[in-house]
């Protein structure tokens, strides 16, 4: 038993496990809307979960510690909410991909199609051209990543831009992965090369780390960093509501097994140039290049003055997460899905625990989706416990 520096917890009504977006939003609402005290336990030495960023001391460049994070949403409520904690610049994400020494626009759009095939097709011609490419494989009900990708863009583009990259990213047969992984990317028949279609997009003017500091600023919120919930759980009052945002299999002591996750390694380098690659993210489509992409963080904030003599880049490598390593992407094979269903059943027996966020729901969720889910969980599951009013008549 660890005697953690938690002090007297008598009367504590809310304990939030994890200070990523789910935990931070719920804590902010409990403190600032309900006016109640909340204890936040965070295993890491910093707040913000995987969306955390910090300033590189040598160059002054804001670095996203867990890989590039671009804020985008079509949800006005989420956009208005997040703007209470930071303004946003007008950054629009565009990605390039290198294949056999040539650079192409990603996601696949008219420029990618024309450059790859060496053609100059108009939108309707490109549609017709790809329709014929797709027909060659004739996949009526695409049921996995490979089939879905081929049915959207045809085999040649799939083999150039999706196959090698996805094999590096997932190291799983692409026929065993869900189609939902690839439908995250649009396919366009015009020259629109934006990565996201959402109406609201940008990078926080003061940095991601400031958003979390501001969300958790209330004196009703106590954040204890560097502490694992499972080491101190027994010290919490029995009637304390727990909002758990950690891995779901860990919560139930892996009784149904370990869910599959991919983790990432980042090779960080400060390169002695003002601009290394001319853009924020360059993908590498070929299997032979060991990394999936290179991030260059200075490009996220053209409005900031940065060092002219150095730029921070991350080379990103993907691999299976071993036990205890950082989970990044849920793999979601059929076996994982069945296991998760068993954990989902177990959740129902935990009346004093609310599960939320990407780790507890075993879902790949963007920041805006997690914020939306946290706002909903607060209104539907947390607030009514104190006010007694069902959520749909509260507002
Ligand atoms: P997390 O941010 O993971 O926070 C969970 C927290 O709980 C962590 O801080 C963890 O330390 C803590 N915790 C876990 N277990 C315990 C425990 N036992 N005790 C105490 N603390 C615990 N989203 C976008 O919108 N745009 C992007 O461009 C984007 N890029 C991404 C790139 C990568 C490489 C990855 C992996 C994700 C990206 N995302 C992006 C998704 C984004 O990271 C998530 O939506 C967000 O981090 C989810 O927040 P969360 O609160 O659910 O989880
Ligand atoms: N993908 C690909 N080639 C690319 C970019 C993406 O094959 O150049 C595939 C890959 O399987 C990836 C998925 O599309 O996991 C979703 O891409 P996204 O950029 O949304 O992934 P993330 O940025 O979240 O890693």
């Amino acid at each position: 038993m660890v005697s953690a520096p938690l002090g007297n917890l008598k009367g504590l009504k809310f304990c939030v496990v994890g200070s990523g977006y789910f935990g931070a939003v719920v804590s902010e609402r409990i403190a600032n809307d309900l006016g109640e005290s909340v204890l936040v336990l965070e295993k890491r030495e910093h707040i913000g979960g995987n969306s955390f960023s910090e300033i590189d001391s040598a160059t002054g460049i804001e670095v996203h510690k867990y890989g590039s994070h671009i804020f985008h949403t079509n949800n006005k409520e989420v956009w208005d909410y997040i703007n209470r904690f930071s303004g946003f610049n007008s950054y629009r994400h565009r990605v390039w991909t290198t294949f056999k020494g040539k650079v192409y626009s990603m996601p696949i759009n008219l420029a990618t199609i024309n450059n790859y095939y060496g053609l100059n097709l108009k939108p309707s011609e490109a549609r017709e051209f790809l329709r014929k490419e797709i027909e060659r494989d004739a996949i009526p009900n695409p049921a996995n990543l490979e089939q879905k990708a081929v049915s959207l863009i045809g085999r040649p583009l799939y083999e150039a831009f999706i196959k090698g990259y996805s094999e590096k990213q997932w190291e799983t047969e692409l026929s065993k992965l869900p189609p939902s992984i690839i439908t995250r990317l649009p396919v366009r028949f015009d020259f629109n090369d934006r990565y996201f279609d959402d109406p609201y997009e940008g990078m926080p003017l003061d940095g991601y780390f400031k958003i979390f500091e501001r969300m958790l600023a209330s004196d009703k919120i106590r954040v204890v960093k560097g502490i694992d919930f499972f080491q101190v759980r027994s010290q919490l009052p029995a009637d304390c509501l727990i909002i758990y945002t950690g891995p779901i299999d860990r919560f139930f002591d892996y009784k149904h097994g370990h869910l599959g996750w991919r983790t990432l390694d980042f090779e960080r380098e400060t390169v002695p140039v003002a601009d290394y690659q001319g853009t924020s993210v360059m993908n590498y489509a070929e299997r032979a290049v060991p990394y999936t992409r290179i991030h260059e963080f200075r490009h996220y904030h053209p409005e900031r003055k940065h060092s002219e003599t150095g730029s921070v880049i991350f080379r990103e490598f993907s691999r299976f997460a071993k036990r205890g390593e950082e989970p990044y992407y849920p793999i979601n094979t059929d076996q994982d899905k069945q296991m998760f269903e068993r954990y989902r059943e177990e959740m129902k027996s935990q009346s004093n625990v609310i599960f939320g966020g990407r780790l507890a729901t075993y879902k790949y969720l963007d920041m805006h989706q997690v914020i939306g889910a946290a706002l909903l969980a607060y209104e539907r599951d947390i607030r009514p416990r104190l006010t007694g009013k069902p959520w749909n008549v509260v507002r």
Side-chain angles (χ1 to χ4, degrees), residues 173-328:
E173 279 173 55
L174 303 187
S175 58
K176 292 212 169 107
L177 290 171
S180 57
I181 290 180
I182 201 65
T183 48
R184 285 170 59 81
L185 301 183
V187 179
R188 302 201 188 101
F189 292 94
D190 57 18
F191 288 110
N192 176 5
D193 60 354
R194 278 183 59 186
Y195 208 67
F196 304 114
D197 283 325
D198 288 333
Y200 310 108
E201 183 177 348
M203 303 302 277
L205 286 172
D206 303 327
Y208 282 106
F209 57 95
K210 271 284 170 214
I211 291 186
F212 291 98
E213 282 174 24
R214 289 172 185 156
M215 275 185 174
L216 298 170
S218 163
D219 56 13
K220 291 200 171 296
I221 301 177
R222 184 171 159 226
V223 183
V224 184
K225 289 182 272 190
I227 198 158
D228 188 322
F229 161 69
F230 295 102
Q231 291 181 305
V232 296
R233 187 180 186 180
S234 59
Q235 297 177 35
L236 299 172
D239 58 352
C240 174
L241 180 68
I242 292 162
I243 294 100
Y244 178 80
T245 75
I248 193 60
D249 48 4
R250 170 71 187 91
F251 188 89
F252 293 107
D253 216 8
Y254 307 105
K255 69 195 279 191
H256 299 299
H258 286 71
L259 289 162
W261 288 90
R262 300 289 291 165
T263 193
L264 300 176
D265 296 317
F266 294 107
E267 190 182 274
R268 180 175 176 153
E269 191 183 348
T270 302
V271 281
V273 291
D275 188 353
Y276 175 73
Q277 62 182 14
T279 192
S280 45
V281 176
M282 176 64 75
N283 289 356
Y284 286 83
E286 284 158 88
R287 189 80 182 83
V289 179
Y291 38 86
T292 48
R293 51 188 172 183
I294 299 182
H295 309 254
E296 187 176 16
F297 293 98
R298 66 183 309 126
H299 295 289
Y300 289 123
H301 288 280
E303 80 283 6
R304 291 183 186 163
K305 185 141 182 50
H306 290 124
S307 154
E308 289 300 313
T309 55
S311 191
V312 184
I313 61 164
F314 276 14
R315 289 183 191 85
E316 179 177 321
F317 301 81
S318 175
R319 62 180 171 80
F320 285 103
K322 295 195 202 96
R323 280 180 203 179
E325 287 183 329
E326 287 300 339
Y328 277 84

Side-chain angles (χ1 to χ4, degrees), residues 97 106 145 161-163 165-166 169-170 181-182 184-185 195 283 293 316 329 364:
T97 184
M106 195 72 193
L145 193 163
F161 299 115
I162 307 298
K163 187 169 187 289
Y165 185 97
S166 296
Q169 173 80 358
W170 299 100
I181 290 180
I182 201 65
R184 285 170 59 81
L185 301 183
Y195 208 67
N283 289 356
R293 51 188 172 183
E316 179 177 321
Y329 295 98
Y364 185 94

Side-chain angles (χ1 to χ4, degrees), residues 17-23 41-44 48-51 66-72 196 227-230 244-247 264 266 293 316 328-329 357-359 364-368 370:
V17 182
S19 64
Y21 271 112
F22 199 96
L41 302 176
E42 173 51 62
K43 200 167 67 170
R44 292 171 173 162
N50 273 20
S51 312
Y66 302 92
S68 286
H69 276 65
I70 298 97
F71 201 96
H72 60 96
F196 304 114
I227 198 158
D228 188 322
F229 161 69
F230 295 102
Y244 178 80
T245 75
L264 300 176
F266 294 107
R293 51 188 172 183
E316 179 177 321
Y328 277 84
Y329 295 98
R358 62 181 195 105
L359 297 167
Y364 185 94
L365 296 171
D366 278 327
M367 295 180 279
H368 63 107
V370 171

Side-chain angles (χ1 to χ4, degrees), residues 5 16 29 38-39 108 133 154 157 182 203 208 217 256 308-309 312 331 379 381:
V16 172
R29 293 286 69 206
V38 52
L39 172 68
I108 288 169
E133 291 286 79
L157 288 172
I182 201 65
M203 303 302 277
Y208 282 106
H256 299 299
E308 289 300 313
T309 55
V312 184
I331 301 175
E379 291 290 350
D381 305 326

